[in-house]
Amino acid sequence: MAPLNEDQLENIRNERKIQIMRAAIKVFATHGFKLTKISLIAKEAGISHGLVYHYFKSKEEVLYDSLEWAMELNETRKFLTELSEMAISPVEKLHKFTKFALSSSLSTSSDIFRIIQHLEHTEGVPDHLLEFTKNVGMMYVEFFIPIFIEGQKAGEIIQEDPEVLVGIFLTIISGVMADDPGWWQENMDHKIAIYLRMLTTR
C-alpha cells in the first residue's frame, strides 16, 4: 500500500478535528463548561483522550474552536439571510423564525444556544469565550431590531423600546431551546401565535 501524500494526510487531520469538534459541541451542550472534561469529549468522539490534545491545547481551545466551526456551519445564518429577503410582514417574519428555531431543536443550532446559555450563567469563564457569546447574541439583536421597528411603524408590534422587545423575544426562545422544546412540537403554529401576542398588537 502506497504511503499517503501530504494532501491526504491533511484531509485526515481535518476530518479528525471536525470529529472532535462535533463531539465537543454535544458534550458542552449537555454538561456545561465546568463539568465538561476532555475525557468526555474523547469518549463522545470515539477516540483516545491523548489524541484530543494532539489537536487542541486545552478545554477552552476545544470550546472556542468548536463554537467558531459550528457557527460557520450553522443553518441559522442562512435562514436569517433568506428571511430578510422574504416579502412578508414583520410579525410573519417573527413567526417563521420562532418556528425555525424550535423545529431545529435536535440540530447544532439548539446545542449552540444551550452552550451560550451555560456560559452566560457560569462564573470563571475566560473572557474571550464570553466575548464570543456576546458577539453571537449581538448578531441576532442587530438582525431583529429593524424588523421590530418596521412592525411598530406598521402598527403590528407594541410601542416599547425595540431593543427591550428583541431581548424578550430572543431570551424566551433561547430558554426554550436550552431546556426542552419538545412540548412545542404539537400545534406549534398556534402556540407560537399565543407567544407572539406578548409583543404584537393583535
Side-chain angles (χ1 to χ4, degrees), residues 70-124:
M71 283 302 298
E72 283 302 314
L73 292 183
N74 190 359
E75 67 269 24
T76 302
R77 284 179 188 257
K78 181 184 174 192
F79 182 80
L80 290 179
T81 301
E82 293 171 354
L83 188 63
S84 68
E85 296 169 353
M86 291 180 187
I88 56 177
S89 74
V91 170
E92 287 173 317
K93 287 182 179 180
L94 298 185
H95 190 106
K96 279 190 173 293
F97 175 78
T98 305
K99 186 171 184 177
F100 167 81
L102 299 182
S103 298
S104 301
S105 60
L106 300 179
S107 72
T108 305
S109 295
S110 177
D111 287 337
I112 293 171
F113 269 99
R114 291 173 72 190
I115 291 169
I116 290 173
Q117 289 280 95
H118 282 309
L119 292 174
E120 288 177 345
H121 298 93
T122 302
E123 292 184 4

Side-chain angles (χ1 to χ4, degrees), residues 67-68 70-81 83-84 97 100-101 109 112-113 116 120 130-148 163 166-167 169-170 174:
L67 281 172
E68 276 200 321
M71 283 302 298
E72 283 302 314
L73 292 183
N74 190 359
E75 67 269 24
T76 302
R77 284 179 188 257
K78 181 184 174 192
F79 182 80
L80 290 179
T81 301
L83 188 63
S84 68
F97 175 78
F100 167 81
S109 295
I112 293 171
F113 269 99
I116 290 173
E120 288 177 345
L130 290 178
E131 186 67 21
F132 182 90
T133 63
K134 180 181 175 184
N135 290 339
V136 171
M138 285 308 299
M139 178 190 78
Y140 288 103
V141 170
E142 289 170 2
F143 177 85
F144 280 106
I145 282 180
I147 293 175
F148 273 74
E163 194 166 337
V166 170
F169 172 67
L170 293 174
S174 296

Side-chain angles (χ1 to χ4, degrees), residues 90-91 94 144 147-160 162 165 199-202:
V91 170
L94 298 185
F144 280 106
I147 293 175
F148 273 74
I149 291 173
E150 182 187 346
Q152 288 176 325
K153 288 178 179 175
E156 291 186 349
I157 293 176
I158 58 175
Q159 296 298 323
E160 295 288 345
L165 295 179
L199 306 167
T200 61
T201 56
R202 42 178 169 148

